[in-house]
């Protein structure tokens, strides 16, 4: 039993079956952790479609599946602090109180998103005090019939989805603005799919009804073709005719927002430590890093210690959209805060924690989590093994094709695909090049992007790379369906590549208890304690296993760099000869 397990068992005081597993673990070591044989582990891995030999490493997800199958409760090593952080998320149902809805405005360019946001703000921001000029802080709150509504002041589905891709769920209701004279346009459709992918309820604001060529029925008809069915037409989506110019219908819009909010039963506990999302941030030359937050639950107070993304700080001051100081900010309240040590990113979540020490530990834990997560790219092959392991039941696809005919044909082909394990679901499809917004939608929805006879816009491929989103490009339909079918069956083999880490030359031999140690010089790269290795003699591989011991001047070491001497033991091998070369390597799953 490892020291870690021993601690765990002692901590809980029960015959605990908790087990800490590193982000990657060699099969043999996993067997030790689970008090079983490597064969047993390999069998379990095979059940979930992962083929690995005794000396190969598997990632945490695969290891955790095995651990669960063997009756353990797996934890990612080094996640204790994060666990503490997460425990706070649990809400006490008895303390929940209604909270204001947070609304984002979306729609096609020039359909009047900004005008609507401005008109609502000018009309409804709580009494305009003398000199009470509102500032843009990224969000504002209005009073409607004595109730509050929070508006996110950066319209558009791009910002909405970019935040979601960071893990933030800010928006409760999406207002889809459609100009009555122009009707449903490409970005209207994109906004619909982005809101639907996030499962956020939509209210349609049909704008510019003051114009002579406004045609409400045409808009409703076009929407119904995209499965946005208006109430009067038997659907459940409310459509409100408005004019940002004359301000007609805006109160009606606010009332409907409150109605949808009531149906959604939005609640939070104002008495707990605050949690929420950074929606904007900047570096102010005199006040330092400033961030606009929206509190999701709890109440944020001056003096609270918060962690936000990769940074933390103590809240020194808070301001509302009129630049007035706030002492507290409760659920759904937007506030600009001062006191973070570094500028966080929009979409980062924040939590207030007990003290500075907890903040520092949590940041370190987040860092480790990110490093572990960073190794997992959302490739089709990765989805396939997730499907095989039963972790995913639906493969979400953003589809782009050259012409409408191919969009329809490919979508139809994809939606007909399913296996007994999973099915394909197209969450957004349209003609045109693969855009940044497509990548972010796939990222936020944990899906992939398929391009059929189309390329990516400049920049989109780079973002996909950075975000770990898989873009699959095809020009033959059956090749595409073949790949997806295999993925849905969970039988798509990951492409595994071998990477050579370094070489060491055997220069002397030592006999030790139970075998032989090779006295080596690392000639290039490096050798690590757990490296997989092959011993080569005259370019022929004579043995493949892994390093069993690595020493420098009688000390056990983790790694030895090129140019240094060391003593190397290789598992199951002691027939070294001078001049043998030990090659260290590891395998990587290709994106
Ligand atoms: P956005 O790109 O969706 O944010 O659209 P804007 O709010 O910038 O509006 C685009 C144009 O439409 C501007 O010239 C506005 O003055 C105009 N506009 C917005 N709302 C209305 C409206 O209700 N009636 C009329 N006639 N024009 C409007």
């Amino acid at each position: 039993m490892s020291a870690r397990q021993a601690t765990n068992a002692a901590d809980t005081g029960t015959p605990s079956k908790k087990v800490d597993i590193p982000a990657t673990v060699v099969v043999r070591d996993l067997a030790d952790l689970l008090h079983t044989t490597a064969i047993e582990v390999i069998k379990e891995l095979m059940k979930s479609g992962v083929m690995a030999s005794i000396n190969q490493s598997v990632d945490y997800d695969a290891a955790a599946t095995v651990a669960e199958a063997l009756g353990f409760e797996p934890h990612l090593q080094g996640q204790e602090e994060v666990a503490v952080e997460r425990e706070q998320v649990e809400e006490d149902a008895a303390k929940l109180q209604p909270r204001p809805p947070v609304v984002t405005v979306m729609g096609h360019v020039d359909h009047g998103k900004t005008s609507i946001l401005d008109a609502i703000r000018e009309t409804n921001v709580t009494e305009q005090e003398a000199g009470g000029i509102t500032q843009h802080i990224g969000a504002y709150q209005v009073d409607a019939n004595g109730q509050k509504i929070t508006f996110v002041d950066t319209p558009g589905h791009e910002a909405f989805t970019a935040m979601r891709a960071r893990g933030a769920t800010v928006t409760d209701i999406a207002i889809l603005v459609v100009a009555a004279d122009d009707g449903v346009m490409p970005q209207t459709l994109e906004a619909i799919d982005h809101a639907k992918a996030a499962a956020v309820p939509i209210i349609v604001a049909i704008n510019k009804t003051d114009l002579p060529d406004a045609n409400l029925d045409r808009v409703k008809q076009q929407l119904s073709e995209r499965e946005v069915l208006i109430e009067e037409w038997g659907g459940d989506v409310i459509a409100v005719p408005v004019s940002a110019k004359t301000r007609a219908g805006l109160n009606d819009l606010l009332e409907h927002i409150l109605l949808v909010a009531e149906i959604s039963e939005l609640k939070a506990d104002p008495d707990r430590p605050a949690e929420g999302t950074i929606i904007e941030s900047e570096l102010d030359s005199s006040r330092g890093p400033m961030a606009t937050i929206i509190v999701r639950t709890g109440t944020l107070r001056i003096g609270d210690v918060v962690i936000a993304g990769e940074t933390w700080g103590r809240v020194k001051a808070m301001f509302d959209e009129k630049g007035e100081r706030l002492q507290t900010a409760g659920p759904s309240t937007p506030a600009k805060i001062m006191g973070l040590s570094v500028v966080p990113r929009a979409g980062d979540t924040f939590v207030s924690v007990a003290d500075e020490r907890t903040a520092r530990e949590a940041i370190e834990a987040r860092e480790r989590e990110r490093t572990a997560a960073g190794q997992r790219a959302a490739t089709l092959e990765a989805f396939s093994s997730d499907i095989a392991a039963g972790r995913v039941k639906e493969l979400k696809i953003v589809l782009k094709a050259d012409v409408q005919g191919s969009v329809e044909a490919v979508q139809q082909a994809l939606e007909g695909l399913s296996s007994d394990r999973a099915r394909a679901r197209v969450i957004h499809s349209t003609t045109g090049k693969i855009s940044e917004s497509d990548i972010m939608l796939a990222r936020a929805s944990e899906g992939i992007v398929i391009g059929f006879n189309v390329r990516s816009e400049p920049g989109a491929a780079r973002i996909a790379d950075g975000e770990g989103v898989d873009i699959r490009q095809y020009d033959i339909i059956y090749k595409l369906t073949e790949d997806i079918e295999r993925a849905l069956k969970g039988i798509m083999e990951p492409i595994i590549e071998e990477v050579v880490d370094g070489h060491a030359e055997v220069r002397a031999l030592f006999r030790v208890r139970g075998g032989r140690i090779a006295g080596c010089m690392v000639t290039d790269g490096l050798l690590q304690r757990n490296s997989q290795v092959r011993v080569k003699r005259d370019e022929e591989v004579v043995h493949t296993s892994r390093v069993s011991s690595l020493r420098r001047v009688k000390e056990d070491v983790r790694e030895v760099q090129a140019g240094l001497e060391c003593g190397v033991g290789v598992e199951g091998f002691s027939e070294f000869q001078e001049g043998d070369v030990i090659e260290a390597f590891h395998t990587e799953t290709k994106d």
Side-chain angles (χ1 to χ4, degrees):
M1 182 186 261
S2 72
R4 251 179 190 289
Q5 271 185 293
T7 325
N8 275 340
D11 282 352
T12 55
T14 53
S16 166
K17 294 200 84 180
K18 280 187 184 172
V19 58
D20 279 349
I21 300 175
T24 57
V25 59
V26 174
V27 168
R28 181 193 304 272
D29 297 340
L30 181 61
D32 287 346
L33 282 174
L34 303 175
H35 314 301
T36 185
T37 61
I39 300 297
E40 202 56 43
V41 170
I42 291 170
K43 273 203 241 160
E44 285 300 331
L45 284 168
M46 280 166 78
K47 281 189 203 162
S48 48
V50 179
M51 303 294 163
S53 69
I54 187 162
N55 295 314
Q56 268 177 345
S57 303
V58 293
D59 66 10
Y60 172 79
D61 283 351
T65 313
V66 174
E68 278 168 5
L70 298 177
F72 284 84
E73 190 189 314
H75 290 272
L76 183 55
Q77 205 167 82
Q79 297 302 292
E80 300 83 350
E81 294 88 341
V82 174
V84 172
E85 204 185 300
R86 291 229 173 94
E87 270 161 28
Q88 298 178 351
V89 178
E90 309 263 321
E91 296 277 6
D92 180 350
K95 291 187 177 168
L96 294 181
Q97 292 179 18
R99 63 170 178 85
V102 180
V103 179
T104 298
V105 176
M106 302 178 186
H108 195 73
V109 64
D110 280 348
H111 279 198
K113 299 179 292 292
T114 314
S115 306
I116 288 179
L117 279 165
D118 288 347
I120 291 175
R121 174 167 37 201
E122 281 158 27
T123 332
N124 298 73
V125 160
T126 32
E127 319 88 57
Q128 299 282 317
E129 297 88 358
I133 303 156
T134 57
Q135 312 173 346
H136 171 91
I137 66 163
Y140 63 84
Q141 231 174 15
V142 299
D143 262 346
N145 294 342
Q147 285 172 276
K148 289 197 168 95
I149 302 172
T150 304
F151 282 91
V152 176
D153 206 359
T154 312
H157 57 274
E158 290 90 351
F160 166 86
T161 293
M163 285 223 247
R164 238 168 39 82
R166 300 260 91 83
T169 42
V170 187
T171 305
D172 301 308
I173 299 169
I175 305 293
L176 181 69
V177 179
V178 190
D181 60 330
D182 204 21
V184 168
M185 296 303 273
Q187 285 161 2
T188 320
L189 300 177
E190 221 171 280
I192 293 171
D193 288 344
H194 282 237
K196 279 189 176 171
V200 169
I202 296 173
I203 298 178
V204 178
I206 306 180
N207 191 32
K208 306 198 187 182
T209 48
D210 57 290
L211 293 176
D213 53 350
N215 186 342
L216 271 69
D217 275 346
R218 188 182 57 154
V219 173
K220 290 175 191 171
Q221 171 67 41
Q222 290 170 328
L223 287 170
S224 70
E225 283 160 17
R226 296 300 287 215
E227 284 153 40
V228 177
L229 208 51
I230 306 302
E231 263 190 335
E232 320 141 50
W233 292 30
D236 58 359
V237 178
I238 298 166
V240 188
V242 299
S243 163
K245 191 175 173 193
T246 66
R247 304 198 173 175
L250 291 181
N251 281 335
D252 207 20
L253 179 63
L254 298 181
E255 272 174 32
H256 279 102
I257 292 172
L258 291 173
L259 194 74
V260 173
E262 209 180 303
I263 297 165
S264 308
E265 294 192 30
L266 307 170
K267 288 186 174 160
D269 172 8
D271 291 332
R272 41 159 292 151
E275 283 186 23
T277 308
I278 311 289
I279 58 159
E280 264 190 33
S281 58
E282 60 176 355
L283 186 63
D284 184 297
S285 54
S286 56
R287 297 191 287 187
M290 301 291 291
T292 299
I293 52 136
I294 294 184
V295 178
R296 189 172 55 77
T297 188
T299 296
L300 187 64
R301 297 184 161 80
I302 304 279
D304 279 358
V305 176
V306 294
I307 52 177
E310 293 157 45
T311 183
W312 67 281
R314 192 178 282 281
V315 179
K316 291 194 196 119
M318 290 196 277
F319 307 91
D320 66 9
E321 64 270 16
K322 283 166 268 159
E324 281 171 10
R325 280 176 185 270
L326 295 173
Q327 292 303 313
T328 62
S332 301
T333 307
K336 200 164 178 175
I337 66 169
M338 183 174 128
L340 293 173
S341 42
V342 178
V343 181
R345 290 192 302 180
D348 278 343
T349 49
F350 80 86
V351 256
S352 78
V353 292
D355 49 35
E356 296 181 1
R357 191 180 144 257
T358 320
R360 276 196 210 99
E361 284 174 358
I363 293 284
E364 281 168 21
R366 281 184 173 196
E367 183 69 44
R368 282 196 296 274
E369 189 176 32
R370 215 175 6 260
T371 319
Q375 295 164 353
R376 287 181 233 129
T379 58
L380 189 57
E381 287 80 9
F383 279 113
S384 179
S385 72
D386 277 350
I387 287 167
R391 284 188 292 266
V392 172
K393 300 248 174 285
E394 204 172 59
L395 176 64
K396 298 195 178 101
I397 296 169
V398 174
L399 170 68
K400 296 303 279 278
D402 50 348
V403 290
Q404 190 55 31
S406 352
V407 172
E408 282 162 19
V410 174
Q411 179 158 357
Q412 216 171 20
L414 283 172
E415 287 181 340
L417 295 180
S418 67
S419 72
D420 50 353
R421 293 178 156 161
R423 68 186 196 101
R425 194 175 131 215
V426 176
I427 57 170
H428 177 59
S429 66
T430 178
T431 54
K433 286 186 180 168
I434 296 162
S435 68
E436 189 179 322
S437 148
D438 296 327
I439 305 296
M440 293 317 273
L441 180 61
R443 170 81 164 84
S445 309
E446 296 178 351
I448 59 160
V449 179
I450 292 182
F452 189 79
N453 278 332
V454 287
R455 297 168 157 278
S456 304
E457 271 173 14
R462 187 175 38 81
I463 287 165
D465 228 24
E467 298 286 342
V469 171
D470 197 2
I471 302 181
R472 315 284 294 202
Q473 268 150 332
Y474 298 89
D475 48 14
I476 301 174
I477 244 186
Y478 83 83
K479 287 220 165 117
L480 187 167
T481 51
E482 206 173 84
D483 271 5
I484 302 298
E485 240 173 342
R486 281 174 46 234
L488 292 175
K489 284 186 185 151
I491 56 169
M492 192 171 226
E493 291 283 326
I495 305 163
I496 294 176
E497 258 191 8
E498 195 182 283
V499 182
V500 172
D501 299 316
H503 294 95
E505 206 178 280
V506 178
R507 302 214 164 149
L509 308 173
F510 306 102
R511 190 171 290 281
V512 291
R513 217 168 355 119
R516 274 191 171 184
I517 294 288
C520 299
M521 164 65 89
V522 179
T523 50
D524 64 78
L526 84 168
L527 220 62
Q528 286 174 311
R529 197 161 55 198
N530 282 320
S531 290
Q532 299 181 63
V533 288
R534 54 176 80 84
V535 181
K536 286 182 167 177
R537 188 168 300 155
D538 302 328
E539 289 303 309
E540 293 255 327
V541 176
V542 290
H543 183 78
T544 304
S545 64
R546 60 172 197 160
V547 171
S548 59
S549 71
L550 188 62
R551 295 191 136 202
R552 252 186 73 68
V553 210
K554 298 205 169 140
E555 293 280 323
D556 279 326
V557 288
R558 286 169 55 130
E559 61 174 50
V560 180
Q561 302 273 357
L564 297 175
E565 291 183 328
C566 57
V568 182
V570 170
E571 251 177 33
F573 187 76
S574 51
E575 299 80 43
F576 292 110
Q577 290 183 8
E578 275 181 41
D580 285 352
V581 170
I582 299 176
E583 183 173 75
F585 65 97
H586 71 273
T587 50
E588 275 180 4
T589 313
K590 269 298 274 156
D591 311 355

